[in-house]
Amino acid sequence: MRRGRGGVGGRPPFVRAPAARLLEGEEAEPWSLSNLFKVTKLIRGTRTESPALAEDAQPTESEKEIYNQVNVVLKDAEGILEDLQSYRGAGHEIREAIQHPADEKLQEKAWGAVVPLVGKLKKFYEFSQRLEAALRGLLGALTSTPYSPTQHLEREQALAKQFAEILHFTLRFDELKMTNPAIQNDFSYYRRTLSRMRINNVPAEGENEVNNELANRMSLFYAEATPMLKTLSDATTKFVSENKNLPIENTTDCLSTMASVCRVMLETPEYRSRFTNEETVSFCLRVMVGVIILYDHVHPVGAFAKTSKIDMKGCIKVLKDQPPNSVEGLLNALRYTTKHLNDETTSKQIKSMLQ
């Protein structure tokens, strides 16, 4: 295959070989800032400005099977976000029904409003299961031997882009969910009403939609402040525990590399100035936070320890340098969905930065 200026087939690289070797091969501070600059100098801008990732990275033959499986899932992601963004809830109908318990018409109206909404909540939950399977497939491909994580990111650019898109979706979903109390209120009302109908032997229209076992699992899912992140964190932890023959560094180095590249892209004026669309910045911020959280759940001492390969002070500073309203959800994700933030090994400065 012809090798153009931008890499194999002329496409822009995620991380190219010289920088990859620098990240892997230098004994003295292989993860130093200077080396990461050498990485980012090889990153090209694209039409859609998906930072640090090739816009039209096409899968190679070896990537195609996983890529196609993940692509089927990602095609539905935008529709899920649109449905969640437009989710208004049945608060008014529920209040009316609770305030007038003897009024059958109001009870039927509330139930009729809640059932289709629970259908949406079921769809969101089922999508989280599909996303989990997609993530596990990508982790398997991006951490397998004999290649190092950085070599994988160089070789499998299309899969690296999909990995970033999953994290971007996940943070967007959780940001929307956290600001919508109607979701848990609707589902709680649905479960209470369904339970009462069963006791009174009243046929329930929505019971076939969500049976008791599924309702229990959905309840646990929506009880989480950031349910999608929790799903992916658990999936990553499970992936590592089920693949004991795979060095844990294969997974953690893949995550820390992506976090470092995103951070440098955001904190360096030379690269930041190329972002003409603020959504590009949001994409980079979400991916950075997503990989930090996964790293913190998987690595034995987490992302906040001095030995971590992620510059947490630098990452937090990048977040704090953004307009406050745009990153509060991401800062909260670091505060409340990481595993090791409150460990004794976490420096007081980092804890103070996240207060």
Side-chain angles (χ1 to χ4, degrees):
M1 183 180 289
R2 181 177 62 84
R3 186 178 293 273
R5 284 184 62 198
V8 177
R11 77 178 181 225
F14 178 84
V15 179
R16 284 176 60 196
R21 287 197 296 273
L22 282 164
L23 281 172
E24 295 155 11
E26 291 188 10
E27 289 300 315
E29 297 187 80
W31 294 85
S32 69
L33 188 61
S34 62
N35 286 339
L36 285 165
F37 270 96
K38 290 169 188 172
V39 174
T40 51
K41 279 181 182 178
L42 296 167
I43 296 169
R44 303 281 193 271
T46 63
R47 259 194 336 272
T48 59
E49 296 183 298
S50 291
L53 296 166
E55 176 205 354
D56 292 320
Q58 295 303 310
T60 60
E61 280 303 315
S62 62
E63 293 174 88
K64 270 188 180 174
E65 185 179 354
I66 296 292
Y67 179 89
N68 289 338
Q69 290 170 6
V70 175
N71 204 41
V72 170
V73 179
L74 284 173
K75 278 181 177 175
D76 293 335
E78 201 58 41
I80 293 288
L81 289 173
E82 286 170 5
D83 282 351
L84 179 56
Q85 199 154 18
S86 64
Y87 189 102
R88 294 292 172 262
H92 174 73
E93 293 86 346
I94 290 170
R95 282 191 298 275
E96 289 288 301
I98 291 172
Q99 287 167 8
H100 306 91
D103 190 324
E104 283 303 316
K105 283 189 176 179
L106 288 178
Q107 306 308 310
E108 288 174 9
K109 187 178 179 183
W111 182 250
V114 163
V115 167
L117 291 173
V118 169
K120 279 190 177 183
L121 298 182
K122 177 189 175 187
K123 184 170 78 169
F124 300 160
Y125 171 74
E126 288 175 341
F127 188 77
S128 77
Q129 305 305 293
R130 295 173 60 204
L131 203 68
E132 176 184 352
L135 180 83
R136 287 165 67 85
L138 287 173
L139 284 172
L142 292 172
T143 61
S144 62
T145 52
Y147 302 109
S148 71
T150 325
Q151 286 171 326
H152 273 299
L153 294 177
E154 174 195 347
R155 291 169 58 88
E156 283 116 30
Q157 296 170 31
L159 299 187
K161 181 171 185 284
Q162 287 183 321
F163 188 85
E165 286 173 344
I166 284 177
L167 292 170
H168 183 233
F169 164 84
T170 297
L171 271 295
R172 286 175 72 197
F173 182 96
D174 285 346
E175 285 165 12
L176 290 169
K177 186 267 177 186
M178 276 197 288
T179 57
N180 197 336
I183 288 172
Q184 279 181 277
N185 293 340
D186 292 349
F187 197 64
S188 295
Y189 177 81
Y190 171 83
R191 296 201 74 187
R192 289 197 308 271
T193 305
L194 196 59
S195 178
R196 193 165 59 245
M197 287 176 164
R198 285 196 190 112
I199 291 168
N200 297 328
N201 290 318
V202 176
E205 172 200 339
E207 188 169 8
N208 291 333
E209 181 84 17
V210 178
N211 61 33
N212 201 44
E213 183 193 350
L214 179 57
N216 287 335
R217 283 187 275 127
M218 286 173 61
S219 188
L220 290 171
F221 177 76
Y222 288 112
E224 296 288 342
T226 53
M228 286 287 177
L229 262 177
K230 178 71 164 64
T231 298
L232 296 196
S233 297
D234 288 350
T236 308
T237 303
K238 191 175 179 183
F239 171 83
V240 170
S241 66
E242 287 178 353
N243 292 274
K244 296 189 187 302
N245 60 325
L246 201 65
I248 191 170
E249 291 79 14
N250 284 27
T251 303
T252 55
D253 286 0
C254 173
L255 299 172
S256 60
T257 302
M258 292 183 73
S260 298
V261 171
C262 287
R263 173 180 59 77
V264 173
M265 292 288 286
L266 288 161
E267 73 184 5
T268 311
E270 180 188 347
Y271 307 121
R272 179 66 179 263
S273 64
R274 297 176 192 173
F275 297 166
T276 57
N277 185 337
E278 275 307 303
E279 186 54 31
T280 304
V281 176
S282 299
F283 180 97
C284 228
L285 289 167
R286 290 186 183 114
V287 173
M288 182 181 75
V289 169
V291 290
I292 288 170
I293 290 167
L294 296 188
Y295 182 101
D296 194 56
H297 278 262
V298 171
H299 196 281
V301 297
F304 300 95
K306 286 182 180 177
T307 54
S308 167
K309 288 184 176 178
I310 295 178
D311 175 6
M312 284 306 305
K313 289 176 188 174
C315 291
I316 295 168
K317 184 179 183 304
V318 164
L319 286 165
K320 293 266 190 172
D321 286 344
Q322 312 307 314
N325 291 344
S326 69
V327 294
E328 193 57 30
L330 296 178
L331 288 167
N332 283 337
L334 290 179
R335 290 174 186 129
Y336 305 122
T337 66
T338 47
K339 187 178 178 181
H340 295 279
L341 174 60
N342 294 315
D343 289 2
E344 290 181 6
T345 53
T346 302
S347 73
K348 289 180 181 178
Q349 186 182 359
I350 287 177
K351 288 179 179 177
S352 173
M353 289 175 80
L354 282 174
Q355 280 178 353

